[in-house]
């Protein structure tokens, strides 16, 4: 599967409320021993990720994820943006995931970040800070 398809399958898993369907999606795109980390915790293995997603979706009933960017990749690393959509269609949260793929083209790690990039600290030297 092409990397874009892998990421789309992974994103679909994050919106799938049925455990069996979610597990089937992750089998297509996630390494059996893959590592997932975000601000809420660390999870090792496909089944642990499947359970984490299920718990998340039970807390946020009716919400779903959408891909918010294309997928950048180089040297086995990738990144993409996402948004979490409320049941009324409004955006609840945005974020960015960074990850790696294994030799079989499955995701072997994802590091998720919540929210937009932070503003530049005012204490940083002015000549190092973009004016844009």
């Amino acid at each position: 599967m092409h990397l874009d398809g892998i990421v789309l399958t992974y994103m679909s898993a994050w919106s799938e409320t049925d455990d069996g369907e979610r597990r089937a999606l992750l089998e297509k795109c996630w390494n059996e021993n893959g590592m997932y980390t975000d601000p809420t915790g660390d999870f090792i293995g496909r089944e642990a990720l499947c359970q984490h997603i299920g718990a998340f979706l039970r807390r946020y009933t009716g919400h779903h994820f959408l891909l918010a960017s294309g997928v950048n990749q180089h040297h086995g690393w990738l990144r993409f943006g996402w948004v979490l959509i409320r049941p009324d269609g409004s955006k609840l949260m945005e974020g960015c995931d960074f990850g790696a793929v294994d030799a079989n083209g499955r995701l072997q790690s994802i590091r998720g970040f919540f929210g937009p990039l932070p503003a530049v600290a005012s204490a940083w030297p002015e000549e190092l800070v973009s004016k844009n």
Side-chain angles (χ1 to χ4, degrees), residues 102-119:
D102 67 16
N104 296 316
R106 286 191 175 104
L107 295 166
Q108 78 178 31
S109 69
I110 288 286
R111 304 298 186 257
F113 290 80
F114 299 167
L117 291 172

Side-chain angles (χ1 to χ4, degrees), residues 53-126:
I53 294 170
F56 178 89
L57 291 173
R58 285 188 292 279
R59 280 193 306 273
Y60 291 91
T61 301
H63 292 65
H64 65 279
F65 284 90
L66 294 175
L67 196 59
S69 74
V71 180
N72 285 127
Q73 70 167 335
H74 67 81
H75 298 91
W77 296 95
L78 63 109
R79 70 176 178 162
F80 57 91
W82 51 263
V83 293
L84 178 59
I85 303 297
R86 292 182 179 102
D88 69 6
S90 64
K91 180 172 69 171
L92 173 64
M93 183 185 344
E94 65 184 87
C96 184
D97 283 2
F98 297 86
V101 293
D102 67 16
N104 296 316
R106 286 191 175 104
L107 295 166
Q108 78 178 31
S109 69
I110 288 286
R111 304 298 186 257
F113 290 80
F114 299 167
L117 291 172
V120 175
S122 61
W124 289 12
E126 188 173 322

Side-chain angles (χ1 to χ4, degrees), residues 9-68:
T9 302
Y10 171 73
M11 292 298 295
S12 294
W14 272 95
S15 294
E16 180 54 63
T17 57
D18 180 87
D19 288 344
E21 292 294 321
R22 182 179 337 103
R23 192 170 288 109
L25 289 166
L26 290 173
E27 285 174 4
K28 294 177 185 176
C29 67
W30 191 260
N31 179 293
E32 183 178 355
N33 300 307
M35 297 173 19
Y36 175 84
T37 301
D38 71 19
T40 68
D42 298 303
F43 305 90
I44 298 174
R46 186 183 298 141
E47 186 59 29
L49 178 59
C50 187
Q51 295 303 315
H52 172 63
I53 294 170
F56 178 89
L57 291 173
R58 285 188 292 279
R59 280 193 306 273
Y60 291 91
T61 301
H63 292 65
H64 65 279
F65 284 90
L66 294 175
L67 196 59

